Amino acid sequence: MLILDNIPALLVAIPLLASAVVSLLPSARIAWGFAFFTTLICLYMAFELVGIISSTQALSYAFGGWEPPWGIVFVLDSANVYLVLLVAFVSVIATLYAYTMLAREIAVEDLPKAYAVWLLAIASLFGLAMTGDAFNLFVFLEISALSSITLIALGAGQDRRALLAAYNYLIIGAIGATFYVIGVGYLYAATGSLNLIDITDRLNELGTNQAAITGLAFMLAGIMVKAGVFPVHIWLPAAYSYAPSAVSSLLAAVATKVAIYYFARLLFGIFIDITQLVDFFLLYILMPVSVLAIFYGTIAAIYQSDFKRLFALSSIAQIGYITFAFSLNSHSGISAGFIHIINHALIKGALFMAVGIFALGIGSRATMSSMQGVGRQMPITFAGFVLAGLALIGVPLTAGFISKLYLFKAIFETGNGFYVALIALSSVLSVLYLWKIFEVMWLKEPVQPLKIDKEPASAYLPVWLMVGVIMIFGVYSGEVISSGIGAANALIGAR
Amino acid sequence: MRDNPVFKIVSKILFGPIIIYGLYVQFHGDYGPGGGFQAGVIVAAAFILYSMIYGLEEGRKLMPDWIIRSVMALGVLVFGGTGIASILLGANYLDYSPFAYKIYKAQHLGIIIVELGVGLTVFAVMLGLFNAFAGFKPHK
Amino acid sequence: MSINLIVLYWNYIIVIMLMMAGLYIIISNQNFIKKLVGLSIFQSSVFIFYISLGKVSGGTAPILTGIEDTVYSNPLPHVLILTAIVVGVATNALGLALVVRIQEAFKSIEEHKLLALKKEDGLKDIQIEDSKEDSAV
Amino acid sequence: MIELWVNVFLVSLLVIITFYIMRLRRLIGIVALSGAYSLTAAAIFVNMDAVDVAFTEAAVGSGISTILFLAALRYLPVEEAHETRYPVWSLFLCGIVGLMLIIAAFALPEFGDPNAPAHLHVAPRYIEESYPLFHIPNVVTNVLASYRGFDTLGETVVVFTAGLGVIILLTGSTLSMRFKQSATSSDNQTAKSDEETRDA
């Protein structure tokens, strides 16, 4: 009972405390075991949390027992509880994957500390997903940024460009975070509160003014940097492509998703009072930007020969799909966005993991020229990779199909054929780069023997776990769909 | 500069008072300006001064790296563990009220423990940062 | 009236201009250390902005004296900025560690040179692969 | 009123410091000025009643931060190249952002207005409760460690993360061995290719 009541706090506190312990452990293996066990506990707690939310609808956890506007609260409802579960699930799989992969890219002596930072990154994602306090979010944003930067920079063991990627992320991320803080400051001056729900109430009471609107705009801008939304995505491709593969798979799967969730929460949850402005922002700014993101990401991916960079660019396009769904500003649009958040996290996680295994196999970066015929040499991983790729396009019986289906459904509701054509065109374009990869990896003859004897089971097992979930969600999609609809209900009410 | 006896003597004289001042700032935070952060930085400054005058190796003998790393983690454990203790005593995370019978005593106790955690981590990290930067050997 | 207004808002305006000066240094400067200094100017200015929000005219520091009718400044922005200062230093420290490593690996911390070196690395990737292909053939 | 004018003076000092930071080329001078900036900011904090913040800024911002910069400068070039990229565009961008902020600033409550929403909503409870209930005169410490204690935990963790990160990056083997590794591996490659050519 003690545990059940305090799950929201424990979800953050346990990985934090575990990371302090892990950083002191002498052996890499024990450190991994400890980290993995911690993520398993988190997954269990996340499941419990889903159970609690499905019976109580919403939950507010006050830290230190201080009630909302005075203390810090974690808010849980059907919008973020599935996100918490997603983060917990992906972190378990990614930690499992890290056992083989991180050890090959990071020196053994550094591994315990690396796992400690890894746990900090996971803890901060839980915090970001749950916090209901504007300033507390900034703190978690910074824990997340610093831990991700450290992990990305460790990729310099393989490629020195990782250092530049990490530095760029640090500078751009810090600008974003500072913009966010400026926004919070304006909003605080206008309302006197830091609690997001209380801010909404206060704005309704006092009325919005220029200061509050500017505050919101700066907060959104800061979050957009973290979420990798198109014009401010510039840190993302390099960061994901030079990070160690385990790190790319964790970050690409969930780090941006959490920021996007918060972006949606700010847009639809807080500023009820200024609907007109939000409508304007969605229609005239977010929508064109999302369409640009989709086409920029897809077309740049077609011309890219480095696999990891290619998938990072495709992430920008996929984030574009999510923000596009939000910009439709309808119940079905928001549900489609949330469904795609979950599906894309699983798909992209699986793809990055598979690419990491290929790179391990050939002993150098995975590019169009170095990967010739590798699919034939590593059939088990390649099969999982192909299935995840099909899901990315949106082929029926995969989770990606469900995302596209609901996206189209939301677009049809607007009755605008132009959008339908745009999204269909972009899907066709994404077939191009995936076909290119398939052609190189399967249809060409292998050019060199593999550097490893056989595919490591501990590395492809996580890929297949992810792919398994993708396929299950493609067939039994009820849970994902209801989570998306639940999220939309929580954010804008059951319209 | 390091061989200058004036620096050596002055730094030795200052070492103790700086640490005592740090402890004062640490535990007087309830009443005046100060608290864990400032105290951690001040105590770290004493050790940094020592390292600067007597050399990094001497400084590392005074405060070895493994102690620094342990104290870093210990601070987080003390702070985070306080929250777990509150949960075990049947309150919310970081609620200090079950620590003592009277609410103000509980609050004082909680704040002192928590600030101690902050101070330990900040002290160890600041010293660790200095050692890492000063002892860095670039590869040729 | 307008002069009065400007004096009253002087603090905000100058602080915002300082923020933008910091931002300008970060964006336009090529040197990685100077970018970090720009970042700390940007952040410090935001801190001053926050503290200005908490100031109450005729108020005193929020350390209770027990004297009645004392006006205290708002303690909440102070708490937030205490947190933010430490976060800022943490960011700076990590950035410095990266810069030191970048200098070691690339022998430069000027952005345009680094971009050129990065491109060279990319070309090398392809060249190595080409040579491998050749050897395989 | 005197407070206001002291403030005007100190803030103007910051403008001058920033101007010289932009102009200077020697990194050590830039770092020293950035320390001066922090110290002046600390003076401003004292003037605006934020003594705790001033203490921290003086110790952390102008103390430790400057020491770390100086320690790092040992491994770096003395001067910067002093080249700017897209100066006009950056200026334009900063101008737009600044203008937005300034326009919005006029909608903020006046500087020091005791009836601002920020002073009436959440903060009064902290000041009222702190002494009668908890016997803690320093409200900032009370809020920091109790009401918003979770923020402080997060902040401690940020420091911890940065400490771990710097230690792993600067003293860890992954990055230190990198150059050896790459050197040896490329040596091997060249050796191999030499052998191959000999064989051929």
Side-chain angles (χ1 to χ4, degrees), chain A residues 11 39 42-43 46-47 49-50 79-94 122 125-126 129 249-258 261 322 337-349 466 469-470 473 480 483:
Chain A
L11 258 177
T39 53
C42 290
L43 183 62
F47 268 116
L49 207 54
V50 172
N80 58 0
V81 73
Y82 292 99
L83 196 71
V84 170
L85 185 60
L86 177 77
V87 173
F89 176 73
V90 171
S91 62
V92 168
I93 304 279
I122 292 170
L125 292 178
F126 283 127
S249 57
L250 176 74
L251 294 184
V254 283
T256 46
K257 307 297 177 298
V258 173
Y261 148 75
I322 298 170
F338 272 86
I339 292 170
H340 197 49
I341 285 181
I342 293 180
N343 289 339
H344 176 243
L346 298 170
I347 295 168
K348 218 16 99 48
M466 291 283 243
V469 176
I470 294 169
F473 282 172
V480 181
S483 80

Side-chain angles (χ1 to χ4, degrees), chain A residues 45-127:
Chain A
M45 289 195 296
F47 268 116
E48 287 287 341
L49 207 54
V50 172
I52 294 172
I53 294 300
S54 58
S55 61
T56 60
Q57 296 307 315
L59 182 80
S60 167
Y61 185 87
F63 280 92
W66 301 108
E67 59 271 38
W70 292 280
I72 292 168
V73 286
F74 272 3
V75 179
L76 276 148
D77 51 27
S78 44
N80 58 0
V81 73
Y82 292 99
L83 196 71
V84 170
L85 185 60
L86 177 77
V87 173
F89 176 73
V90 171
S91 62
V92 168
I93 304 279
T95 313
L96 193 62
Y97 177 78
Y99 180 69
T100 327
M101 301 303 289
L102 214 54
R104 306 231 177 191
E105 293 171 50
I106 293 175
V108 187
E109 307 90 279
D110 291 352
L111 274 176
K113 279 173 238 152
Y115 283 124
V117 179
W118 174 272
L119 281 176
L120 288 170
I122 292 170
S124 69
L125 292 178
F126 283 127

Side-chain angles (χ1 to χ4, degrees), chain C residues 9-128:
Chain C
Y9 283 96
W10 168 259
N11 219 39
Y12 294 145
I13 292 168
I14 290 293
V15 167
I16 288 165
M17 287 167 102
L18 285 171
M19 281 180 210
M20 289 311 118
L23 188 60
Y24 176 77
I25 294 176
I26 305 173
I27 300 174
S28 75
N29 231 284
Q30 297 269 309
N31 186 288
F32 276 11
I33 287 288
K34 206 161 179 182
K35 273 174 190 275
L36 283 181
V37 171
L39 185 64
S40 72
I41 290 179
F42 186 29
Q43 289 175 332
S44 299
S45 317
V46 176
F47 303 160
I48 300 174
F49 172 74
Y50 261 73
I51 301 297
S52 328
L53 293 178
K55 172 74 182 161
V56 177
S57 321
T60 169
I63 294 172
L64 306 179
T65 51
I67 302 163
E68 291 217 357
D69 296 332
T70 321
V71 181
Y72 297 104
S73 281
N74 189 342
L76 189 49
H78 301 184
V79 174
L80 304 182
I81 291 316
L82 270 176
T83 307
I85 287 176
V86 178
V87 169
V89 168
T91 313
N92 256 337
L94 199 61
L96 276 174
L98 285 172
V99 173
V100 168
R101 279 293 185 187
I102 288 173
Q103 165 73 20
E104 184 200 37
F106 293 87
K107 305 283 177 261
S108 171
I109 50 167
E110 300 285 334
E111 197 168 13
H112 60 279
K113 270 190 195 164
L114 291 170
L115 287 177
L117 286 170
K118 201 174 146 189
K119 237 178 210 164
E120 260 173 41
D121 275 16
L123 289 176
K124 252 183 222 161
D125 273 0
I126 299 165
Q127 274 168 1
I128 287 169

Side-chain angles (χ1 to χ4, degrees), chain D residues 40-63:
Chain D
T40 316
I44 293 177
F45 295 150
V46 174
N47 189 42
M48 291 200 275
D49 305 336
V51 280
D52 276 273
V53 182
F55 199 167
T56 316
E57 177 77 34
V60 179
S62 70

Side-chain angles (χ1 to χ4, degrees), chain D:
Chain D
M1 205 57 200
I2 184 85
E3 276 172 348
L4 200 66
W5 287 112
V6 171
N7 217 7
V8 168
F9 168 72
L10 286 172
V11 175
S12 314
L13 206 58
L14 286 184
V15 175
I16 297 169
I17 293 174
T18 312
F19 177 74
Y20 276 100
I21 287 179
M22 284 174 143
R23 287 277 309 271
L24 264 184
R25 293 185 57 173
R26 280 178 71 87
L27 289 178
I28 198 158
I30 293 170
V31 168
L33 279 181
S34 134
Y37 189 99
S38 280
L39 207 58
T40 316
I44 293 177
F45 295 150
V46 174
N47 189 42
M48 291 200 275
D49 305 336
V51 280
D52 276 273
V53 182
F55 199 167
T56 316
E57 177 77 34
V60 179
S62 70
I64 290 289
S65 188
T66 311
I67 287 181
L68 292 182
F69 265 107
L70 291 178
L73 280 187
R74 281 172 52 200
Y75 313 104
L76 302 174
V78 180
E79 286 203 354
E80 60 146 345
H82 210 69
E83 285 169 32
T84 46
R85 196 177 47 155
Y86 314 126
V88 180
W89 282 109
S90 322
L91 205 61
F92 180 72
L93 181 77
C94 295
I96 295 276
V97 173
L99 208 63
M100 273 176 73
L101 286 176
I102 288 176
I103 291 170
F106 283 103
L108 290 176
E110 275 174 19
F111 178 65
D113 179 7
N115 293 319
H119 307 322
L120 299 178
H121 185 48
V122 172
R125 172 168 165 191
Y126 298 145
I127 297 173
E128 281 159 21
E129 263 185 9
S130 195
Y131 200 77
L133 217 54
F134 304 123
H135 299 232
I136 296 174
N138 189 352
V139 188
V140 174
T141 301
N142 195 12
V143 178
L144 188 82
S146 183
Y147 294 88
R148 296 189 70 85
F150 192 60
D151 258 1
T152 312
L153 173 62
E155 166 187 20
T156 312
V157 173
V158 170
V159 174
F160 178 64
T161 315
L164 266 186
V166 171
I167 288 175
I168 214 174
L169 288 183
L170 288 186
T171 65
S173 320
T174 309
L175 272 67
S176 305
M177 300 216 327
R178 187 192 84 86
F179 306 101
K180 276 183 212 158
Q181 256 176 13
S182 63
T184 50
S185 69
S186 63
D187 287 347
N188 287 344
Q189 268 180 5
T190 48
K192 260 183 207 167
S193 57
D194 285 347
E195 280 172 21
E196 277 163 19
T197 47
R198 247 178 264 149
D199 288 349

